[in-house]
Amino acid sequence: MPALEVADLAKRYGRVRALRGVSFALEPGEILGYLGPNGAGKTTTLRLVLGLARADRGSVRLLGQPPSRPASRERVGFLPGELRLHGGMTGHALLDHFARFRPARPPVLRERLLGALDLRGSDLSRRVKWLSHGTRQKLGLVIALQHDPDVVLLDEPTNGLDPLVQQGFCDLVRELAARGRAILLSSHVLSEVEAVCGRVAVLREGELLAVEQIGALRARLVRRLEARFRGPAPGGLATLPGVTRAEVAGSAVTLWLRGDVNPLLRRLAACEVEHLVFPEPQLEDVFLDLYRGRAGAG
Amino acid sequence: MRNLLRLLLARHAAYVLVSGLLLGGFQWLICAVVASTDVTGALGTLVQSLPPMVQSMVSEQFFGGFSKTSLLAFGWAHPIAQAVGAGLAVVLATQAVAGESEAGTIELTLGQPIARHTYLAAHVVFAFAVLAFVTLAGLAGTLAGGRFYGLEPFRLAALARLGLDYLALQVALFGLALMFSTFGREGSRVALFGFLCALVSYLVHVIGTMWDGWALLVPFTLHAYYVPKDILVGGVGVARPVAILLAVALGGLLVAWGRFHRRDLP
């Protein structure tokens, strides 16, 4: 049985169609990236999954139950995208407050999470309203995960975290998945999804464009590479495997390539490269690629 | 539900305590004023200088004549006494849904294994409890002040009826404000609406009592069913006014209940 099953989910806010028939499933032990730009419908999906909003069409089964049943959320951990906490409470009081909602599931992971996210006692003894955005985000993650949930729903989880803590968070997520926990990680940052997710669902304007393995997505992604050589640019780069396009301007070359980068790197290694830029692929590149694929199929 | 009640108590304890002290202290002060000066004589002299129609209106409608008992009853009809209860009722109702939605905290709270009806019930139970506490604090102020200043004591049954009527009025306001709250997403707007509701009811009642032109509107105000003078001076029962106020509260709560179950959050 899937930990989470979403079928033909549709939601409209006035004239805006926030979701248009979204379907996917999340299996135990899986990390599914839910990728899309701001306003794509990611947060709406999570709200429908948790029963916070009502779908116009479609169904959700959370651990086999409809989300309107509070019991279905007993084994779920949730981090909202726009995290707001009770500012008047201390960090300790806040964690205890949320732990008490699940008397049958004590906060067994709390200490481990506090260590991994570098949350110190001094942070926890201060009122939440005096904490930085990043520290509040860490508290939100502890609230979501402290009871060792079977299903984890995270909306933009690394928002405000520094790179070191982000790394710790990614390790944590992988560890949870290895122990059979199902994780839905919603994000608009492609690199974040690439780093931890096995599969990715790509959403745009409320429509699911693709659900596929991250490797498959990566393989078909067209990436850009810019190189400047000492002396004139070498010939034959455009004919290398994976290179789909090349533009040469004197000693500078811009290449677009898909799939394995090694043939190109081997070729470049034989040249006198002065400057090399290989930027992270952007979300827009994924969408362009997916749209191009659809148009081709159509 | 206990967890939510604990949170609400921690959040509102200071406000509730101040409200209780304010109402109790105000009633004590009224006792002090009534006992230490010849207020009845002073007011009588003042009223005699007014035109006959106004004399009759002021003395009969507001003070039920100038007995000490009627002046103490006026303490419970005074705008300050009304504002303390109404303020608490409206603020608690506003915070319950619209305030939490605006603050963004309701999303995380209802993402936990709590049913919506449990969430709303916790807010209703808490509001009823603290409104009862503030009412008792006010009654304690009247009782203690009366004893301290050697005033003729009220009968406990009459005080209990007065407390019940005051509580029913605040519960009715809470029910209406909670209804607004479940429709709203901005706490400030809902609070404004709630306070306006209380203010309009109070003003229409006062004007309708003084001016025949508005008299037909009086039965449609909540304050027409809050009758401290009739209870303390006339010794009348409160079954009907309390029933009407509770019916209004129940109506508001039922609409709020239905709306809260269907609405999208936050």
Side-chain angles (χ1 to χ4, degrees), chain A residues 11 73 86 97 100 102, chain B residues 3 6 11 112 114 264:
Chain A
K11 177 71 180 173
R73 298 191 291 273
H86 304 291
H97 168 69
R100 278 193 293 269
R102 294 176 180 82
Chain B
N3 199 24
R6 193 180 292 155
R11 184 184 290 171
Q112 311 305 314
I114 322 167
D264 291 340

Side-chain angles (χ1 to χ4, degrees), chain B residues 116-252:
Chain B
R116 289 192 185 199
H117 61 79
T118 308
Y119 176 86
L120 206 61
H123 281 271
V124 171
V125 166
F126 179 76
F128 284 15
V130 299
L131 289 171
F133 166 77
V134 169
T135 305
L136 286 173
L139 292 175
T142 297
L143 263 178
R147 280 202 186 157
F148 187 81
Y149 293 107
L151 298 175
E152 186 187 342
F154 289 113
R155 281 179 298 122
L156 280 178
L159 276 183
R161 288 201 301 274
L162 171 68
L164 197 62
D165 201 20
Y166 181 83
L167 179 61
L169 174 68
Q170 310 318 328
V171 164
L173 283 172
F174 175 81
L176 291 177
L178 188 68
M179 181 178 77
F180 301 144
S181 187
T182 54
F183 281 88
R185 284 193 163 82
E186 288 175 50
S188 51
R189 192 177 284 190
V190 169
L192 182 69
F193 224 66
F195 284 125
L196 272 179
C197 206
L199 188 66
V200 167
S201 167
Y202 179 74
L203 288 178
V204 169
H205 175 248
V206 169
I207 295 169
T209 311
M210 290 194 298
W211 181 42
D212 285 345
W214 280 32
L216 75 165
L217 295 176
V218 170
F220 299 103
T221 66
L222 292 177
H223 290 81
Y225 305 98
Y226 175 56
V227 285
K229 185 193 76 181
D230 295 350
I231 296 167
L232 293 180
V233 180
V236 300
V238 289
R240 186 174 167 273
V242 166
I244 290 170
L245 290 171
L246 290 184
V248 171
L250 187 65

